[in-house]
Amino acid sequence: MTTSRPGLSVGPTSEFSLFFHVRPGHGPALREALRELQAAPGYRDGDYDLPIATIHEARFVPFDDDTRLLFATSFDGPWDSYMDDFASKPLKLFDAIFRHVEGYDGLPDLESVKKFILSAQVTAGGYSRNYGGTVKQIRKAERVNRAFQEVLDDPAAAEALQAPALAPLLAEAAD
Amino acid sequence: MDLDLDDIQAGALHERPSPYVGTYLLLRVNDRRDGRKLVRRLIPLLSPAGAGGAWLTVAFTYRGLEALGVPPESLAGFAPEFREGMAARAAILGDVGESGPENWEPPLGGPDVHIALATLAPDQASLDEAVAKARRAREEFPGVEVIWRQDCYQLPTGRTSFGFKDGIGQPAVEGLGEHPGETPIKAGEFILGYPDETGGQAPMPVPEVLGRNGTYVVFRKLHTRVAAYRRYLRDRAADRREEALLGAKMVGRWPSGAPLTLAPDGDDPSLGADPKRNNDFRYGDDLRGLKCPAGAHARRANPRDALDHEGAVDVRLHRMIRRGTSYGPPLPDGVLEDDGADRGIIFVFAGAHPRRQFEFVKTQWLNDGIFIGAPQESDPLVGRGGDFTVPRQPIRRRLRDLPPFVVTRGGEYCFAPSLSALRWIADLREMP
Ligand code: HEM
C-alpha cells in the first residue's frame, strides 16, 4: 500500500471513493437514476463490459436514508493522473446521477468538475485485494484459461501435454 | 478562433530548420533591472528577421520570473508543476538514482537557472551571428550572467544518436495547418488563452497579457548509451536483419522514420521521407501489436486510436509539440564499445498543460505499463528498465529486465511568454 497520492493502491490498482450529499428531497429520483443506470448495457445483470475498461468494479451506495451517496471503485493506475480524462468524458455517463447530489452544476468546465470530484474524494483507511493484475491482465488470463479448458476437452490433449515444454500446463490439468 | 501569430514566439510553433545547428544558454539574473533591460533587448531578436535567419526563443523558470520581480499575485497563477520546477518533480517523473537531481549536471535543477535562450539556425554562420547578437545584448547588462551553454546540431545522418529519425510524430494544431488523416488539436492545448480540448482554457496568470499567447516549455538533457544499446540488440539477434527488426520494434518506426504499422517487414526509406504518408496511420487494426508492439516507444508516447475503445483516456488531452535536438558526436557506425563521449538529445516539449501532457505521458505511458496491461514493462528505449514484449506469430518474444539506455542529465520547466508579455516584464518597476 502506498499513501503518497490520494487513494491507496495495491500493485497497479488504486481505490477511489467519493462521498456525496444528496440534494434534499432527491432521494427517490436518485434511486430511479440508479435503476436506470443498472439497466444500461455494461451494467445490466449478466453484463461484464463496463464502458470504462480500466475499472474492476463499481458501486453506488445511497445511505443515511438516501441523504448521502457513496461511489466506490477500483481503478488500474493512479486515478488522480486520469482526472482530466474522467472529468472530460466518462463522468458524463453519470450525469443523471450526479444531478441529484450537492455541488454538481452540470459540467460547465473541467476545473469545476475536478473541484467537485476532489471535494468528494476520501482516501480509504485500508485497502487490500485478493488478486493482482490489471483488468487487461485478468481478461487475458480468462481467455487463456478458456483456451486451456478447450484443449483439455480434446481427447488428444493427454498425449500432447506430455511434451516436456508443457509440464507447467500439465500440472494444472488434473482438476 | 484565430491564433495571434505575431504575438507568439516563433520558435515555439515552428519546426526547426533541417539541417540545423543550435545553442542553448542558461542565464542567472543577479540584478533584476539588468534582467528586464536584457528582456527588452531580446524582443526584436525573437523574429527570424531580427536574428538573421535563426530562431531565438526565450523562456523563464519560475525562479527566473521571481528574479525579474514578477509580483506574487501574478506568480501564483502559473501551473503548480511549473512553480515547483522539474527537480522537485523528479521522483514522480522517474528521475531517480543516476538520473536523480543529485547527479544532474550543474546548474540544471538548481536555484540559479533563471532564463533559457535557445537559438537554432540552418547553418553555423547564421547561428554564430544570432548568438553573437544575444551575447552582445547580454554583455551590456553585467547583472545577468551566462551559467551554462549546450551546443547541438543535426547529425550528418539526419538521425538521432540511436540511429532513428525523430520529430515526425507532431500534433496538427488548429489554425496552423492540417496533417493527413488527423483532426487538428485545439490551439489551447499548446498556447495559453485559447479553448483547449476540454472546452475550457488552461489556467492563466494575471494580468491576462502575461499568460496569453505564451506556452510552457520543458527541456531535458538526455544522455543516450548508444554502445550499450547497440550491444544489447546485437546480443539478442541471430543476424543483422533480426537486429534491425528488434530495434524498430522498440521504437515503433524504422531508422528512416517509416512506421512499423505501414511497413511491418522492413524499412521503406521513401515512406520514411514522405511527410504526406509517414505519419498517416493508426493502430486500430493492430490492437494485439503484431505489427507495432503496444510497448514500442512511439506507440506508448502517442497511442493514437489504440485506447479509444477503453473509455478511460482521451488521447487528445495528452499530446505535445516536440522540438528536440541532438548533442554530442555520433558514435561511429558499428562501434559497440563505449567511447566515454556525452551524446544524446535535448528533449524539448511545448504545451499549455505540462502536467497532463508531458508529465502524464512520461509517467503513465513511458515509465509504466499499467495502461497496456503490463505493469512490469516500461518503455524499451527511454523507460526505467523493465520487460518488453514483441508480439509475433506463433509465439511472442519477451525480453526481461532491459537496462536503461537513457540517463537524465537534468532539465527545467520553463515558460515562454508572448512578445507582449515580454514587454510587460521589461516594463516592471519596483514598488516605491
Ligand atoms: C533519449 C530519449 C528519446 C529518444 C531517443 C526518443 C526517440 C524517439 C523516436 C525515434 C521517435 C519516433 C519518431 C517520431 O515519431 O517522431 C519518437 C517519437 C516520440 N517521442 Fe520520443 N524519444 C525520447 C524521449 C522521449 C520523451 C521523454 C518523451 C515524452 C515525455 C517522448 C515523446 C515522444 C512522442 C510524443 C513521440 C511521437 C509519437 C507519435 O506521435 O507517434 N520521447 N521518439
Side-chain angles (χ1 to χ4, degrees), chain A residues 5 11-13 50-54 75-78 80-86 88-90 108-111 114 133-134 136-137 140 143, chain B residues 92 196-198 200-201 203 288 307 309-318 355-356 360 363-365 368-376:
Chain A
R5 348 180 42 132
T13 307
L50 291 173
I52 302 172
T54 52
F75 175 77
D76 288 334
D80 57 323
S81 293
Y82 285 86
M83 273 283 281
D84 297 281
D85 298 87
F86 283 158
S88 77
K89 270 194 193 140
D109 63 86
L110 190 67
E111 288 311 312
K114 275 158 65 177
T134 63
K136 274 197 177 121
Q137 288 173 296
K140 171 81 179 171
R143 286 198 303 275
Chain B
I92 296 170
D196 65 20
E197 286 287 328
T198 69
Q201 275 191 17
R288 296 186 74 182
L307 307 175
H309 60 291
E310 293 178 12
V313 68
D314 181 353
V315 174
R316 300 173 67 80
L317 301 182
H318 309 288
R355 184 166 182 267
R356 78 159 148 83
F360 180 94
T363 60
Q364 302 310 307
W365 287 351
D368 214 311
I370 293 175
F371 81 109
I372 52 170
Q376 75 290 357

Side-chain angles (χ1 to χ4, degrees), chain B residues 102-124:
Chain B
E102 63 284 2
N103 294 317
W104 285 4
E105 181 180 315
L108 298 173
D112 295 337
V113 182
H114 294 160
I115 303 180
L117 262 181
T119 315
L120 288 177
D123 54 72
Q124 193 65 44

Side-chain angles (χ1 to χ4, degrees), chain B residues 90-211:
Chain B
I92 296 170
L93 293 172
D95 287 330
V96 295
E98 53 187 348
S99 286
E102 63 284 2
N103 294 317
W104 285 4
E105 181 180 315
L108 298 173
D112 295 337
V113 182
H114 294 160
I115 303 180
L117 262 181
T119 315
L120 288 177
D123 54 72
Q124 193 65 44
S126 338
L127 176 70
D128 291 346
E129 190 191 324
V131 172
K133 277 190 188 178
R135 274 195 178 271
R136 274 198 299 279
R138 211 274 315 157
E139 277 158 15
E140 288 170 39
F141 310 113
V144 182
E145 194 183 336
V146 177
I147 56 172
W148 189 75
R149 174 184 176 138
Q150 175 70 59
D151 292 328
C152 65
Y153 63 102
Q154 190 168 71
L155 302 183
T157 53
R159 297 174 182 176
T160 48
S161 55
F162 288 133
F164 289 80
K165 183 169 162 182
D166 194 5
I168 309 165
Q170 300 281 11
V173 182
E174 204 172 80
L176 283 178
E178 312 258 310
H179 293 180
E182 217 185 311
T183 313
I185 305 279
K186 293 264 185 281
E189 288 293 313
F190 307 103
I191 306 290
L192 297 191
Y194 300 87
D196 65 20
E197 286 287 328
T198 69
Q201 275 191 17
M204 286 219 292
V206 287
E208 196 187 338
V209 64
L210 178 58

Side-chain angles (χ1 to χ4, degrees), chain B residues 165-169 253 297-298 301-302 304 322 345 347 366 382:
Chain B
K165 183 169 162 182
D166 194 5
I168 309 165
R253 290 183 185 265
H297 172 67
N302 177 13
R304 301 181 184 226
R322 289 178 303 138
I345 66 167
F347 171 89
L366 299 184
V382 311

